[in-house]
Amino acid sequence: MRAVRFDEYGGPEVLVVEDVPEPHPGPGRIRVAVRAAGVNRVDSKYRAGIMTVKSLPYIPGTDVSGVVDEIGDGVTGVTVGDEVFGATPKGGYAEFAVLTAWAAKPASMSWVEAAAVPLAAETAARAFAVVDVPDGVTVVVNGASGGVGSAAVQLGVARGMTVVGVAGPANHAYLRELGALPVGYGDGLVGRVRELVPAGVAAALDIAGSGVLPELIALTGDPATVVSVADFSAPEHGAKATGGAEGRRWDVLPVVADLHRRGRFRVSVQQVFPLAEAAAAQAISELGHVRGKLVLEI
Ligand SMILES: NC(=O)c1ccc[n+]([C@@H]2O[C@H](COP(=O)([O-])OP(=O)(O)OC[C@H]3O[C@@H](n4cnc5c(N)ncnc54)[C@H](OP(=O)(O)O)[C@@H]3O)[C@@H](O)[C@H]2O)c1
Protein backbone atom coordinates (compact mmCIF):
# COMPACT_ATOMS: atom_id res chain seq x y z
CA MET A 1 0.00 0.00 0.00
CA ARG A 2 1.02 3.63 -0.32
CA ALA A 3 1.86 5.41 2.93
CA VAL A 4 3.69 8.51 4.05
CA ARG A 5 6.52 7.80 6.45
CA PHE A 6 9.84 9.11 7.73
CA ASP A 7 13.00 7.16 8.52
CA GLU A 8 14.88 9.96 10.26
CA TYR A 9 13.77 12.87 12.46
CA GLY A 10 13.75 16.27 10.78
CA GLY A 11 11.71 18.92 9.00
CA PRO A 12 8.61 18.24 6.89
CA GLU A 13 10.89 17.22 3.98
CA VAL A 14 11.69 13.88 5.68
CA LEU A 15 8.11 12.74 4.94
CA VAL A 16 8.07 10.57 1.81
CA VAL A 17 5.42 8.48 0.05
CA GLU A 18 6.51 4.84 -0.11
CA ASP A 19 5.15 1.37 -0.87
CA VAL A 20 4.94 -0.46 2.45
CA PRO A 21 3.43 -3.75 3.66
CA GLU A 22 -0.28 -3.61 4.53
CA PRO A 23 -1.18 -3.88 8.23
CA HIS A 24 -3.67 -6.52 9.49
CA PRO A 25 -5.75 -6.34 12.65
CA GLY A 26 -4.95 -8.39 15.74
CA PRO A 27 -7.58 -9.35 18.33
CA GLY A 28 -9.96 -6.54 19.25
CA ARG A 29 -8.98 -4.39 16.26
CA ILE A 30 -10.34 -3.64 12.82
CA ARG A 31 -8.77 -2.53 9.56
CA VAL A 32 -10.17 0.20 7.35
CA ALA A 33 -9.54 1.27 3.79
CA VAL A 34 -8.70 4.86 4.67
CA ARG A 35 -10.67 7.64 2.98
CA ALA A 36 -9.20 10.56 4.95
CA ALA A 37 -6.59 11.08 7.67
CA GLY A 38 -6.53 13.95 10.16
CA VAL A 39 -3.36 15.97 10.79
CA ASN A 40 -2.56 16.70 14.44
CA ARG A 41 0.13 18.86 16.03
CA VAL A 42 1.58 15.77 17.69
CA ASP A 43 2.30 14.28 14.24
CA SER A 44 4.91 17.00 13.65
CA LYS A 45 6.30 16.63 17.18
CA TYR A 46 7.06 12.94 16.42
CA ARG A 47 8.51 13.78 13.01
CA ALA A 48 10.76 16.47 14.47
CA GLY A 49 11.98 14.18 17.28
CA ILE A 50 10.48 16.47 19.98
CA MET A 51 8.64 13.29 20.98
CA THR A 52 10.35 10.03 20.10
CA VAL A 53 8.76 7.12 18.26
CA LYS A 54 9.26 3.42 19.15
CA SER A 55 11.02 2.57 15.89
CA LEU A 56 11.84 4.01 12.46
CA PRO A 57 10.61 4.16 9.75
CA TYR A 58 7.37 5.55 11.15
CA ILE A 59 3.98 6.31 9.56
CA PRO A 60 2.44 9.39 11.28
CA GLY A 61 -1.22 9.99 12.00
CA THR A 62 -3.70 8.83 14.64
CA ASP A 63 -7.02 9.88 13.08
CA VAL A 64 -8.78 8.27 10.14
CA SER A 65 -12.15 7.72 8.54
CA GLY A 66 -12.73 4.77 6.25
CA VAL A 67 -14.54 1.58 5.26
CA VAL A 68 -14.05 -1.54 7.40
CA ASP A 69 -12.40 -4.29 5.34
CA GLU A 70 -10.91 -6.70 7.93
CA ILE A 71 -12.06 -7.57 11.45
CA GLY A 72 -9.86 -8.98 14.23
CA ASP A 73 -10.83 -11.82 16.59
CA GLY A 74 -13.31 -10.94 19.30
CA VAL A 75 -14.65 -7.79 17.66
CA THR A 76 -18.43 -7.49 17.69
CA GLY A 77 -20.88 -4.85 16.50
CA VAL A 78 -19.09 -4.02 13.25
CA THR A 79 -19.25 -5.55 9.77
CA VAL A 80 -17.07 -5.41 6.66
CA GLY A 81 -18.33 -2.44 4.64
CA ASP A 82 -19.28 -0.30 7.65
CA GLU A 83 -18.27 3.37 7.53
CA VAL A 84 -16.34 4.35 10.67
CA PHE A 85 -13.98 6.96 12.11
CA GLY A 86 -11.48 6.44 14.87
CA ALA A 87 -7.91 6.14 16.08
CA THR A 88 -4.93 4.08 14.95
CA PRO A 89 -1.72 3.48 16.91
CA LYS A 90 0.08 2.32 13.73
CA GLY A 91 -0.13 5.25 11.31
CA GLY A 92 -3.03 6.93 9.58
CA TYR A 93 -1.27 8.59 6.64
CA ALA A 94 -1.79 5.43 4.59
CA GLU A 95 -4.19 3.53 2.33
CA PHE A 96 -5.02 1.03 5.11
CA ALA A 97 -4.97 1.49 8.89
CA VAL A 98 -5.66 -0.71 11.92
CA LEU A 99 -7.96 0.93 14.47
CA THR A 100 -8.08 0.35 18.23
CA ALA A 101 -11.02 2.73 18.82
CA TRP A 102 -13.83 3.66 16.48
CA ALA A 103 -17.46 4.69 16.08
CA ALA A 104 -19.95 4.60 13.22
CA LYS A 105 -19.55 7.60 10.91
CA PRO A 106 -22.84 9.47 10.83
CA ALA A 107 -24.24 10.10 7.33
CA SER A 108 -24.22 13.81 8.21
CA MET A 109 -20.39 13.84 8.31
CA SER A 110 -18.18 13.72 5.22
CA TRP A 111 -15.11 11.48 5.20
CA VAL A 112 -12.91 14.55 5.60
CA GLU A 113 -14.93 15.89 8.55
CA ALA A 114 -14.94 12.49 10.28
CA ALA A 115 -11.15 12.21 10.00
CA ALA A 116 -10.82 15.60 11.71
CA VAL A 117 -12.59 14.50 14.88
CA PRO A 118 -10.97 11.65 16.87
CA LEU A 119 -7.88 12.89 18.77
CA ALA A 120 -9.15 16.48 19.08
CA ALA A 121 -12.48 15.41 20.57
CA GLU A 122 -10.87 12.75 22.78
CA THR A 123 -8.40 15.28 24.17
CA ALA A 124 -11.12 17.84 24.82
CA ALA A 125 -13.31 15.25 26.57
CA ARG A 126 -10.35 14.07 28.64
CA ALA A 127 -9.49 17.62 29.70
CA PHE A 128 -13.09 18.16 30.87
CA ALA A 129 -12.97 14.84 32.74
CA VAL A 130 -9.77 15.89 34.54
CA VAL A 131 -11.23 19.14 35.91
CA ASP A 132 -14.54 17.38 36.59
CA VAL A 133 -16.90 20.37 36.75
CA PRO A 134 -20.70 20.08 36.45
CA ASP A 135 -22.77 21.01 33.41
CA GLY A 136 -23.83 24.62 33.09
CA VAL A 137 -20.77 26.31 34.65
CA THR A 138 -18.52 28.90 33.01
CA VAL A 139 -15.19 27.69 31.60
CA VAL A 140 -12.25 29.25 29.78
CA VAL A 141 -10.66 27.45 26.82
CA ASN A 142 -7.21 28.89 26.01
CA GLY A 143 -6.46 28.09 22.36
CA ALA A 144 -10.11 27.73 21.43
CA SER A 145 -10.06 27.93 17.62
CA GLY A 146 -7.72 25.04 16.76
CA GLY A 147 -8.54 21.35 16.56
CA VAL A 148 -8.77 20.51 20.26
CA GLY A 149 -10.14 23.94 21.19
CA SER A 150 -13.00 23.85 18.67
CA ALA A 151 -14.05 20.46 20.07
CA ALA A 152 -13.75 21.68 23.67
CA VAL A 153 -15.88 24.75 22.99
CA GLN A 154 -18.65 22.68 21.42
CA LEU A 155 -18.58 19.87 24.02
CA GLY A 156 -18.82 22.56 26.69
CA VAL A 157 -21.70 24.36 24.95
CA ALA A 158 -23.50 21.01 24.49
CA ARG A 159 -23.30 20.62 28.29
CA GLY A 160 -24.92 24.01 28.81
CA MET A 161 -21.67 25.73 29.76
CA THR A 162 -20.78 29.34 29.12
CA VAL A 163 -17.48 29.00 27.26
CA VAL A 164 -14.98 31.85 27.03
CA GLY A 165 -12.73 31.07 24.06
CA VAL A 166 -9.22 32.57 23.89
CA ALA A 167 -7.86 33.02 20.34
CA GLY A 168 -6.51 35.65 17.96
CA PRO A 169 -8.94 38.33 16.67
CA ALA A 170 -9.20 36.73 13.21
CA ASN A 171 -10.93 33.76 14.87
CA HIS A 172 -13.42 35.63 17.07
CA ALA A 173 -16.33 35.51 14.60
CA TYR A 174 -15.65 31.77 14.15
CA LEU A 175 -15.71 31.24 17.93
CA ARG A 176 -19.04 33.09 18.20
CA GLU A 177 -20.45 30.72 15.56
CA LEU A 178 -19.37 27.77 17.74
CA GLY A 179 -21.18 29.31 20.69
CA ALA A 180 -18.22 30.76 22.64
CA LEU A 181 -17.60 34.23 24.01
CA PRO A 182 -14.32 35.17 22.29
CA VAL A 183 -11.46 37.01 23.97
CA GLY A 184 -7.95 37.83 22.69
CA TYR A 185 -4.70 36.52 24.14
CA GLY A 186 -1.81 38.71 25.34
CA ASP A 187 -1.34 41.07 28.30
CA GLY A 188 -4.46 41.78 30.36
CA LEU A 189 -6.14 38.41 29.79
CA VAL A 190 -7.43 38.13 33.39
CA GLY A 191 -9.07 41.57 33.23
CA ARG A 192 -10.69 40.91 29.85
CA VAL A 193 -12.17 37.59 31.00
CA ARG A 194 -13.46 39.10 34.29
CA GLU A 195 -15.14 41.90 32.36
CA LEU A 196 -16.80 39.35 30.07
CA VAL A 197 -17.96 36.95 32.84
CA PRO A 198 -18.08 38.93 36.11
CA ALA A 199 -19.68 36.02 38.00
CA GLY A 200 -16.41 34.08 37.65
CA VAL A 201 -14.98 30.97 36.05
CA ALA A 202 -15.29 27.39 37.36
CA ALA A 203 -12.55 25.77 35.28
CA ALA A 204 -9.96 26.48 32.60
CA LEU A 205 -8.62 24.25 29.83
CA ASP A 206 -5.19 25.28 28.55
CA ILE A 207 -5.04 23.88 25.03
CA ALA A 208 -2.47 26.28 23.54
CA GLY A 209 0.19 25.76 26.22
CA SER A 210 1.04 29.43 25.82
CA GLY A 211 2.41 30.10 29.31
CA VAL A 212 -0.72 31.53 30.95
CA LEU A 213 -1.29 28.96 33.71
CA PRO A 214 -0.89 31.59 36.51
CA GLU A 215 -3.54 33.76 34.80
CA LEU A 216 -5.91 30.80 34.39
CA ILE A 217 -5.42 29.85 38.06
CA ALA A 218 -6.15 33.48 39.07
CA LEU A 219 -9.40 33.26 37.09
CA THR A 220 -10.69 30.01 38.63
CA GLY A 221 -9.22 30.69 42.08
CA ASP A 222 -8.14 27.04 42.42
CA PRO A 223 -5.27 25.32 40.56
CA ALA A 224 -7.12 21.98 40.76
CA THR A 225 -9.68 23.34 38.28
CA VAL A 226 -7.05 24.17 35.65
CA VAL A 227 -5.74 21.54 33.22
CA SER A 228 -3.24 21.78 30.38
CA VAL A 229 -2.91 19.39 27.44
CA ALA A 230 0.22 21.12 26.12
CA ASP A 231 2.16 22.57 29.08
CA PHE A 232 3.54 19.78 31.24
CA SER A 233 4.88 22.25 33.81
CA ALA A 234 1.25 22.48 35.05
CA PRO A 235 1.88 20.40 38.23
CA GLU A 236 4.58 22.92 39.25
CA HIS A 237 1.74 25.46 39.45
CA GLY A 238 -0.52 23.02 41.33
CA ALA A 239 -2.57 22.59 38.15
CA LYS A 240 -3.16 19.36 36.24
CA ALA A 241 -1.73 18.07 32.97
CA THR A 242 -3.03 15.28 30.78
CA GLY A 243 -1.21 13.33 28.09
CA GLY A 244 -3.60 10.40 27.98
CA ALA A 245 -1.55 7.90 29.99
CA GLU A 246 -4.29 7.90 32.64
CA GLY A 247 -6.83 6.53 30.12
CA ARG A 248 -8.37 7.70 26.87
CA ARG A 249 -11.89 9.05 26.35
CA TRP A 250 -12.74 7.44 23.01
CA ASP A 251 -16.30 7.11 24.33
CA VAL A 252 -16.69 10.69 23.12
CA LEU A 253 -16.73 9.55 19.45
CA PRO A 254 -20.38 8.36 19.39
CA VAL A 255 -21.30 11.46 21.43
CA VAL A 256 -19.80 13.73 18.76
CA ALA A 257 -21.44 11.65 16.01
CA ASP A 258 -24.81 12.14 17.68
CA LEU A 259 -24.29 15.89 18.22
CA HIS A 260 -23.24 16.28 14.57
CA ARG A 261 -26.30 14.35 13.37
CA ARG A 262 -28.46 16.80 15.34
CA GLY A 263 -26.63 19.86 13.98
CA ARG A 264 -25.01 20.66 17.31
CA PHE A 265 -21.35 19.95 16.46
CA ARG A 266 -19.58 21.57 13.56
CA VAL A 267 -16.32 20.20 12.15
CA SER A 268 -14.22 22.97 10.61
CA VAL A 269 -11.57 21.90 8.12
CA GLN A 270 -9.30 24.74 7.05
CA GLN A 271 -7.65 22.85 4.18
CA VAL A 272 -7.60 19.41 2.55
CA PHE A 273 -4.42 17.98 0.98
CA PRO A 274 -3.71 14.87 -1.10
CA LEU A 275 -1.69 12.21 0.77
CA ALA A 276 1.46 13.10 -1.19
CA GLU A 277 1.34 16.65 0.25
CA ALA A 278 1.48 15.59 3.90
CA ALA A 279 4.69 17.59 4.33
CA ALA A 280 2.94 20.81 3.29
CA ALA A 281 0.09 20.06 5.70
CA GLN A 282 2.46 19.46 8.63
CA ALA A 283 4.41 22.64 7.82
CA ILE A 284 1.19 24.66 8.19
CA SER A 285 0.03 22.70 11.26
CA GLU A 286 3.19 23.36 13.24
CA LEU A 287 2.83 27.13 12.87
CA GLY A 288 0.05 26.77 15.47
CA HIS A 289 -2.72 28.89 13.96
CA VAL A 290 -4.93 26.47 12.06
CA ARG A 291 -8.67 27.18 12.32
CA GLY A 292 -10.17 23.79 13.08
CA LYS A 293 -8.23 21.07 11.31
CA LEU A 294 -6.13 20.04 8.31
CA VAL A 295 -6.98 16.73 6.64
CA LEU A 296 -5.32 14.43 4.07
CA GLU A 297 -7.55 12.78 1.48
CA ILE A 298 -6.45 9.30 0.45
N1 LIG B 1 -1.99 16.05 25.81
C1 LIG B 1 -2.63 15.47 24.81
O1 LIG B 1 -3.13 14.36 24.93
C2 LIG B 1 -2.79 16.22 23.52
C3 LIG B 1 -3.62 15.73 22.51
C4 LIG B 1 -3.80 16.50 21.36
C5 LIG B 1 -3.12 17.70 21.23
N2 LIG B 1 -2.27 18.10 22.21
C6 LIG B 1 -1.53 19.38 22.09
O2 LIG B 1 -2.45 20.44 22.24
C7 LIG B 1 -1.97 21.58 21.54
C8 LIG B 1 -3.08 22.14 20.68
O3 LIG B 1 -3.41 21.19 19.68
P1 LIG B 1 -4.38 21.62 18.48
O4 LIG B 1 -4.40 20.48 17.54
O5 LIG B 1 -5.66 22.13 19.00
O6 LIG B 1 -3.53 22.84 17.86
P2 LIG B 1 -3.93 23.90 16.76
O7 LIG B 1 -5.03 23.31 15.94
O8 LIG B 1 -2.68 24.33 16.12
O9 LIG B 1 -4.58 25.12 17.61
C9 LIG B 1 -3.82 26.05 18.26
C10 LIG B 1 -4.74 27.08 18.92
O10 LIG B 1 -3.95 27.88 19.78
C11 LIG B 1 -4.30 29.25 19.56
N3 LIG B 1 -3.16 30.06 19.95
C12 LIG B 1 -2.01 30.28 19.27
N4 LIG B 1 -1.22 31.07 20.02
C13 LIG B 1 -1.90 31.33 21.19
C14 LIG B 1 -1.62 32.08 22.35
N5 LIG B 1 -0.46 32.73 22.51
N6 LIG B 1 -2.54 32.11 23.34
C15 LIG B 1 -3.71 31.45 23.22
N7 LIG B 1 -4.05 30.74 22.12
C16 LIG B 1 -3.14 30.68 21.13
C17 LIG B 1 -4.67 29.33 18.11
O11 LIG B 1 -5.47 30.48 17.89
P3 LIG B 1 -5.10 31.60 16.78
O12 LIG B 1 -4.90 30.85 15.49
O13 LIG B 1 -6.30 32.48 16.77
O14 LIG B 1 -3.82 32.28 17.21
C18 LIG B 1 -5.46 28.03 17.98
O15 LIG B 1 -6.76 28.22 18.50
C19 LIG B 1 -0.72 21.12 20.77
O16 LIG B 1 0.43 21.47 21.51
C20 LIG B 1 -0.88 19.61 20.74
O17 LIG B 1 0.34 18.91 20.61
C21 LIG B 1 -2.10 17.40 23.35
Side-chain angles (χ1 to χ4, degrees):
M1 68 168 183
R2 278 186 326 133
V4 168
R5 56 182 195 179
F6 58 90
D7 60 16
E8 59 176 333
Y9 296 120
E13 70 284 351
V14 300
L15 295 172
V16 287
V17 180
E18 292 178 326
D19 273 322
V20 307
E22 290 182 14
H24 297 284
R29 301 178 172 203
I30 60 170
R31 186 177 90 159
V32 294
V34 179
R35 294 299 180 87
V39 175
N40 285 292
R41 291 280 294 281
V42 72
D43 303 349
S44 310
K45 293 181 184 178
Y46 283 128
R47 189 215 66 229
I50 295 166
M51 293 167 74
T52 50
V53 303
K54 276 192 190 139
S55 63
L56 294 169
Y58 183 84
I59 304 173
T62 53
D63 293 348
V64 300
S65 61
V67 180
V68 178
D69 81 335
E70 290 182 9
I71 297 178
D73 287 345
V75 175
T76 55
V78 67
T79 308
V80 167
D82 283 357
E83 299 185 349
V84 299
F85 66 119
T88 172
K90 298 263 183 186
Y93 295 13
E95 288 179 310
F96 296 94
V98 167
L99 306 192
T100 46
W102 61 87
K105 181 184 84 63
S108 59
M109 249 184 219
S110 68
W111 292 113
V112 162
E113 288 171 332
V117 169
L119 185 64
E122 189 277 329
T123 305
R126 180 159 33 87
F128 274 119
V130 168
V131 291
D132 192 24
V133 284
D135 294 356
V137 297
T138 297
V139 299
V140 173
V141 176
N142 179 54
S145 57
V148 180
S150 296
V153 166
Q154 296 182 94
L155 290 175
V157 169
R159 290 178 54 192
M161 294 178 182
T162 298
V163 182
V164 177
V166 183
N171 283 318
H172 287 190
Y174 166 71
L175 286 179
R176 273 191 207 95
E177 286 167 19
L178 298 188
L181 301 171
V183 69
Y185 44 76
D187 287 349
L189 178 66
V190 172
R192 283 193 297 283
V193 175
R194 284 191 177 141
E195 200 176 322
L196 207 55
V197 285
V201 170
L205 277 47
D206 172 35
I207 309 299
S210 55
V212 292
L213 289 169
E215 286 88 338
L216 299 179
I217 292 165
L219 283 165
T220 69
D222 177 3
T225 55
V226 176
V227 61
S228 184
V229 304
D231 182 346
F232 290 89
S233 76
E236 292 165 25
H237 300 268
K240 295 169 175 169
T242 173
E246 74 280 19
R248 294 283 184 170
R249 296 305 305 254
W250 298 117
D251 54 337
V252 77
L253 296 183
V255 174
V256 169
D258 184 54
L259 287 171
H260 192 273
R261 211 178 279 120
R262 293 189 285 127
R264 295 183 60 200
F265 193 101
R266 171 173 154 189
V267 183
S268 302
V269 176
Q270 177 176 300
Q271 201 173 341
V272 180
F273 300 80
L275 180 65
E277 290 176 23
Q282 284 200 359
I284 294 173
S285 166
E286 61 199 9
L287 296 175
H289 296 287
V290 171
R291 176 181 298 170
K293 297 282 299 187
L294 305 175
V295 174
L296 307 175
E297 235 173 352
I298 312 303

